[in-house]
Amino acid sequence: MDATDQCKMNDDYVYATPPLVEVIAEVHWETQKIASIPGGGVDPFYSACLDAIRKNSHFGDFRHEEHLMPDQVPIEFFSNKPLVRFRKQANSWPLYQLGPGIFVTNLTPPYQGWQDFKKILAHGLRGLFANYPYADTQLKISKLELRYVDAFTKRHGFENYAVFLTEGLGMSLQVPATVLNNSADGEMKGVVTNSEVSFPLKKLPSSRGIISVGLGESSREKAVVAQFACTYEGATLQPQETTLLDWFDTAHMELRDWFEQMVSNEVKGTFGAPTKIGN
């Protein structure tokens, strides 16, 4: 076992220059559905929660607010969609987002490892639970999601989409013969697909894994954009920090393992050596 493998046995490590674009953790809770508005709903305590957060120091240092929707738009149309962002200052990361039935924690590089992100998430959850009225009975958690977004560019070996998916990510591309017969080059090398696979998870009851891949951009450069996510949609959960963080911990381990198993050693070689975080 080499030093790299020994490092990866630790729960927390980071690569020198990973392809990471963003880490996103979402917490959703039940809203009162409105039959006349498809997808709409009412969070009866959203406004009171927002007022309390403003009164009680905005998640600590996260005092800079950004409003994502005009105030005159009825919030019933935006159930489970963020309406306000909280940052330490303009354009800074990480950030928190709040809306009717939803709380989101977002982080972009530099990424200092899972334990660092989990502390940020836990801080936000404590602020949410402390400021949501009657949280013990009214905050019924209905969905959790942890998602990592990665972008593989030329520096990671991406030149041809089909080749990179097959050789870099271990994914097979299958298209109807009609596609190849009518393709200008008659080969797979010119084919671009957007794919998503969803599957139930062994280690996380009532949860699914989601891996999606497509062609996109990163810093104005063409990239293969891959999203690795775990989603919980089982029975409602109580707003207990340890319960939610336990799920996020296991979800992170799952996502880390998928990433390590799917990405080829040649591509991982472009990330630099992994560095162990903590003891």
Side-chain angles (χ1 to χ4, degrees), residues 109-241:
Y111 177 67
Q112 302 298 328
W114 170 248
Q115 294 302 323
D116 179 71
F117 179 78
K118 188 171 77 168
K119 288 178 182 177
I120 298 167
L121 171 60
H123 176 75
L125 290 176
R126 286 192 292 271
L128 172 67
F129 298 161
N131 289 292
Y132 195 94
Y134 314 106
D136 289 345
T137 57
Q138 299 302 315
L139 199 60
K140 299 177 181 179
I141 309 299
S142 57
K143 177 181 176 181
L144 304 173
E145 181 167 297
L146 180 63
R147 184 164 72 256
Y148 279 72
V149 182
D150 296 294
F152 301 91
T153 62
K154 187 175 182 179
R155 75 178 179 88
H156 304 116
F158 167 52
E159 293 183 356
N160 176 271
Y161 184 83
V163 172
F164 189 85
L165 257 63
T166 302
E167 299 181 2
L169 298 180
M171 299 181 68
S172 61
L173 275 181
Q174 295 182 344
V175 299
T178 302
V179 173
L180 297 181
N181 292 338
N182 289 279
S183 173
D185 54 25
E187 300 178 5
M188 285 294 295
K189 68 180 183 180
V191 174
V192 174
T193 65
N194 291 312
S195 60
E196 179 175 296
V197 58
S198 173
F199 50 97
L201 297 174
K202 292 181 180 179
K203 298 179 181 179
L204 284 171
S206 303
S207 301
R208 298 188 70 84
I210 303 169
I211 300 174
S212 60
V213 180
L215 185 64
E217 289 189 356
S218 177
S219 299
R220 299 183 180 180
E221 184 178 2
K222 283 188 177 181
V224 174
V225 178
Q227 299 194 44
F228 301 85
C230 288
T231 300
Y232 171 86
E233 291 185 326
T236 56
L237 302 172
Q238 292 299 309
Q240 298 173 347
E241 181 182 336

Side-chain angles (χ1 to χ4, degrees), residues 46 50 54 58 62-69 71 82-98:
Y46 166 71
L50 182 58
R54 289 168 173 160
H58 290 80
F62 291 75
R63 298 175 182 274
H64 179 80
E65 286 191 30
E66 298 171 0
H67 294 258
L68 306 179
M69 297 292 174
D71 291 338
L83 296 182
V84 184
R85 287 178 179 160
F86 300 90
R87 304 177 189 261
K88 291 185 178 181
Q89 57 191 24
N91 301 317
S92 68
W93 298 81
L95 62 83
Y96 297 124
Q97 300 190 79
L98 182 70

